[in-house]
Amino acid sequence: MTPPSRRHFALALPSALLAAGCAAPHRGSGRPGDPVVLTLLSHYASGTLRQALQDPVDEWNATHDRVKVRTKAVEFTDLLTTFMVRQAAGQGADILHPYCLWNGQLVRAGVLRPAPPEHAERIRRDYGAAAVGAVTVDGTVYGYPTEAQTYALYYNRRLLREAGVDGPPATWPELEEAAHRTTRRDRYGNPLVQGFGLSAHDDATTVGQTLALLHAAGGRFLTPDGRATAIDSPAGRDVLALEHRLVTHGASAPAVDVYQAFPSGQVALVIGAGWWTGSLRPLMGSAYRDVGVAPVPVPAPGARPATLATGFMLGVNTASRHPREAWEFLRWLNADRVTARNGTTATRMSALQVSVGSLTARAGDMRALAGTGGDPNLRPFLDALAYAVPEPNGPGAARAKALLRKNIEALWTGRQSVTEALRTTRRQVDQEVSRPW
């Protein structure tokens, strides 16, 4: 089973640069009349993602003589290192496609160029608050949001029905009850059906599901300035206590890989990001009809909904010799509107993301493109764009996320209590995010 993100799950990404359309940088001979050649470095390296990006790039190249774009791609797991290494070697691409979690680190390293005022104004106006927050560092916008991922509750209708549960849970007490009622074990105590899936697979899934619940409880991982933890709070304590109860009472088995078990009908409930819908449909075939999606449950009836939002963006390298041309291409890709196949209008990036089962943070585009006949399971993720909280993206955010994961897993395995996990997280993460960069 491939790891749980679309970059991992649905694709086998080559680490070598792709050949056709993705060759090494070429900036022209320098002679008058030669076109400017911009390089775009992404993780959209194979399969549907590669072609989805290459299609608008080919369209641009066919209609623009003075500026051409060439794509390059590496594995997602190599992307941040590639940005940093190429920058240090003076070989950075003109246009970069980073995970927004890394933005603070890339800004501090002098890799990302601030968006020009007219582009920053357009981004703030056209995108949702979570997406704008994800591409903003210390009040400055650095790029166009591309892929937007919110978190919601996946559920298996058949398993709920067989356990006598009438629909997906909306509150934490309902979630616990549904998780326990759907849990099944063999005579040796081995899990046959996990009521609520807790994933220990990687940082993104382990931390993502916890932060989605934390936001639903009104809490936050870090303070607004990103310089201290905020999870050691009543909301943080409630979330970890909920997860601890699910594990200790047998409704969750973190050792079980939910990205294998849920498609196989062995997990009733799990919190995940919207990209997964695009993988589950072909993986499950006709059994996908059993899959539903609902908002992340809140602690009590009447509580305001909230969840986690993550995403990617396209920005311009500080080392690019052609920033004006690079920003113009990004405007064309992310702001210009074209007619889609269903007759509606949307940006090329919105059409690109919908074609691979994902979303952008342009809610209007998404609703128009989904239209009739779209996957109804995408709609809760689209609705969540209005209330999702962006993932922290300060210079120490990636390391802070890894530390949080380590302590969550220590809680699940009984090596730490709720209090110990919160205190250890606060001590370790505060040390990481508060140090000078």
Side-chain angles (χ1 to χ4, degrees), residues 158-399:
R158 178 181 59 80
L159 293 176
L160 293 184
R161 184 173 60 250
E162 290 174 353
V165 178
D166 184 20
T171 65
W172 289 7
E174 292 175 359
L175 184 151
E176 287 194 77
E177 180 183 2
H180 287 296
R181 289 175 66 173
T182 53
T183 297
R184 289 169 44 212
R185 295 181 177 273
D186 64 19
R187 59 178 178 168
Y188 303 106
N190 300 312
L192 296 174
V193 174
Q194 190 178 173
F196 184 79
L198 288 173
S199 171
H201 205 115
D202 65 2
D203 292 353
T205 49
T206 301
V207 175
Q209 59 197 1
T210 299
L211 293 189
L213 287 166
L214 178 66
H215 294 321
R220 294 293 184 271
F221 176 32
L222 300 180
T223 55
D225 64 2
R227 305 294 289 177
T229 51
I231 195 172
D232 191 1
S233 65
R237 183 173 295 277
D238 289 345
V239 170
L240 294 193
L242 170 66
E243 295 183 355
H244 185 256
R245 289 195 302 274
L246 289 167
V247 173
T248 56
H249 295 166
S252 295
V256 175
D257 185 349
V258 296
Y259 290 94
Q260 290 182 338
F262 184 83
S264 301
Q266 297 172 308
V267 174
L269 305 161
V270 63
I271 291 173
W275 63 264
W276 202 18
T277 60
S279 297
L280 286 174
R281 180 184 287 274
L283 187 64
M284 296 181 67
S286 61
Y288 184 70
R289 66 178 178 270
D290 291 331
V291 176
V293 177
V296 172
V298 293
R304 295 179 60 182
T307 188
L308 174 69
T310 64
F312 284 73
M313 63 161 243
L314 281 167
V316 177
N317 196 332
T318 56
S320 174
R321 292 185 290 170
H322 307 287
R324 184 173 63 84
E325 291 84 354
W327 284 113
E328 173 58 21
F329 169 74
L330 293 185
R331 183 201 60 76
W332 176 89
L333 180 63
N334 294 278
D336 277 7
R337 306 183 73 79
V338 295
T339 301
R341 280 180 291 183
N342 64 357
T344 61
T345 61
T347 67
R348 292 174 176 86
M349 180 54 68
S350 292
L352 184 164
Q353 293 298 335
V354 167
S355 75
V356 295
S358 186
L359 303 172
T360 66
R362 288 177 172 269
D365 279 7
M366 295 299 98
R367 295 188 190 281
L369 289 168
T372 58
D375 186 348
N377 282 339
L378 278 178
R379 295 191 176 275
F381 298 103
L382 174 58
D383 294 340
L385 290 171
Y387 56 76
V389 179
E391 189 173 32
N393 65 358
R399 177 62 179 156

Side-chain angles (χ1 to χ4, degrees), residues 55-101:
D55 284 346
V57 169
D58 289 344
E59 179 191 352
W60 168 276
N61 288 338
T63 55
H64 293 76
D65 294 329
R66 196 179 65 82
V67 179
K68 304 295 184 181
V69 177
R70 292 189 177 182
T71 58
K72 299 165 56 180
V74 298
E75 293 185 21
F76 173 68
T77 50
D78 296 334
L79 190 58
L80 178 59
T81 300
T82 302
F83 289 154
M84 305 299 282
V85 170
R86 288 185 179 275
Q87 195 78 1
Q91 298 175 352
D94 297 279
I95 299 171
L96 306 176
H97 193 189
Y99 177 27
C100 291
L101 176 75

